[in-house]
Amino acid sequence: MQQEATAGLRAAAARMNRPARRSEGRYALPAFFFLFFLFVVPLSSLLLRSVTDPVPGLGNYAQLLTDQTYGKVLFNTFAVAGIVTIVSLALGYPVAWLLVLLPSRVARWLFAILLLSMWTNLVARTYAWLVLLQRTGVINRALMSLGLTDHPIPLVNNLIGVTIGMTYIMLPFVIFPLQTRLAAIDPAIMQVAAISGARPTQVFFRVLLPLSLPGIYAGGLMVFVMALGYYVTPAMLGGTSGMMLAELIGVQVQSLLNWGLGSAAAFILLSVTLALYALYVRSVGFGQVR
């Protein structure tokens, strides 16, 4: 008797929830149309153009992957994105940890400085690096004054300048997710490890680092994906020898009107980004994705 009553109550609750679900579905319609017209339709058009312009087939993709010049651009893009990601994580991790350890008032000031640097105009920041890194710039003059070199080192119009400029610009995108993750770790866990006899390096590598992996994955993925598609900094600091994929797409579409090749390059960029995101979701679990 009691089971029948429970089943009846569940059926009544399901009937009451049905109209609410229909209502939620109606609310989701604007988001669906937004995604369809602003994401699905343009991407479908991009894919279609990459395999039909100037002639139907996979010629644009074959040209991108086999031509030596385009191969160098792809290598530059992934090499610079990888190096920038690794260096940003190496520099950003101590800063994020410092933000957690510092008194809240000092941490807020440091946080504000990072935000201001991120909000400063991107062209202005890149131009500042162009001035600093040139042959007669402050960095070369300092190196020669210290006796580390007797002639100016070429730091701009190559991939060295691009890597330095992009690492500086990407640092906040590593620091903020890492700081959030590190702040969520209970300090008592590390205290227990230290009391148990673990050395500081063991506490770091066996306790702190594993617990902060979700923040490392999130920051690293964000920096790598953004570095793949960066345009302004490589265009200003890289020169012709340091061309990256975003600049190649701009040249193909704006100057050469080669829409097919430009679309194929853009679709490769998108495919890599989606593949990396899928790897990230698989690594941290769908429930941990923010």
Side-chain angles (χ1 to χ4, degrees):
M1 188 67 183
Q2 187 177 358
Q3 291 178 347
E4 291 176 358
T6 305
L9 285 172
R10 285 178 180 167
R15 283 196 296 274
M16 290 175 65
N17 287 334
R18 216 169 285 154
R21 286 177 184 169
R22 289 197 194 114
S23 172
E24 289 172 1
R26 284 199 298 272
Y27 293 139
L29 278 177
F32 172 76
F33 284 117
F34 179 83
L35 285 175
F36 182 78
F37 286 110
L38 297 184
F39 188 73
V40 177
V41 172
L43 287 183
S44 303
S45 169
L46 186 73
L47 176 61
L48 188 64
R49 196 148 199 176
S50 71
V51 295
T52 58
D53 190 349
V55 292
L58 298 176
N60 290 320
Y61 291 94
Q63 190 178 357
L64 273 173
L65 298 174
T66 58
D67 188 285
Q68 193 174 0
T69 304
Y70 299 137
K72 186 182 177 186
V73 173
L74 287 173
F75 174 79
N76 288 346
T77 305
F78 288 99
V80 169
I83 293 170
V84 168
T85 303
I86 293 170
V87 177
S88 298
L89 285 170
L91 296 177
Y93 199 101
V95 179
W97 186 231
L98 193 64
L99 280 169
V100 175
L101 296 179
L102 284 172
S104 59
R105 187 176 176 184
V106 182
R108 278 199 297 272
W109 275 104
L110 184 55
F111 203 82
I113 291 170
L114 288 169
L115 279 177
L116 282 175
S117 73
M118 194 170 68
W119 290 340
T120 305
N121 184 274
L122 177 62
V123 176
R125 281 183 288 166
T126 306
Y127 186 74
W129 275 112
L130 187 63
V131 173
L132 290 172
L133 295 173
Q134 59 186 329
R135 294 178 68 85
T136 56
V138 174
I139 293 177
N140 261 319
R141 279 190 291 178
L143 291 174
M144 287 190 290
S145 300
L146 293 171
L148 297 175
T149 178
D150 56 356
H151 60 276
I153 300 173
L155 296 175
V156 287
N157 296 324
N158 52 37
L159 291 180
I160 297 174
V162 175
T163 305
I164 293 172
M166 287 180 65
T167 301
Y168 163 74
I169 290 165
M170 295 295 175
L171 266 177
F173 297 99
V174 164
I175 292 171
F176 294 145
L178 265 174
Q179 187 267 341
T180 304
R181 180 62 193 175
L182 289 170
I185 297 173
D186 189 351
I189 297 174
M190 285 171 288
Q191 289 174 2
V192 169
I195 292 169
S196 303
R199 293 190 295 274
T201 52
Q202 290 177 316
V203 173
F204 175 74
F205 285 109
R206 301 183 68 173
V207 179
L208 185 62
L209 190 62
L211 289 175
S212 60
L213 279 180
I216 293 174
Y217 289 151
L221 176 69
M222 192 183 301
V223 168
F224 189 81
V225 168
M226 289 176 66
L228 285 179
Y230 238 65
Y231 180 81
V232 173
T233 306
M236 291 179 70
L237 298 178
T240 53
S241 62
M243 181 179 281
M244 292 176 64
L245 198 55
E247 195 179 352
L248 173 71
I249 295 170
V251 170
Q252 293 295 326
V253 172
Q254 293 175 349
S255 303
L256 304 178
L257 301 180
N258 192 353
W259 287 85
L261 194 68
S263 301
F267 201 77
I268 288 175
L269 201 59
L270 176 68
S271 303
V272 172
T273 303
L274 292 177
L276 290 171
Y277 184 72
L279 276 175
Y280 167 67
V281 171
R282 187 171 180 178
S283 301
V284 302
F286 188 76
Q288 297 295 321
V289 177
R290 297 286 186 272

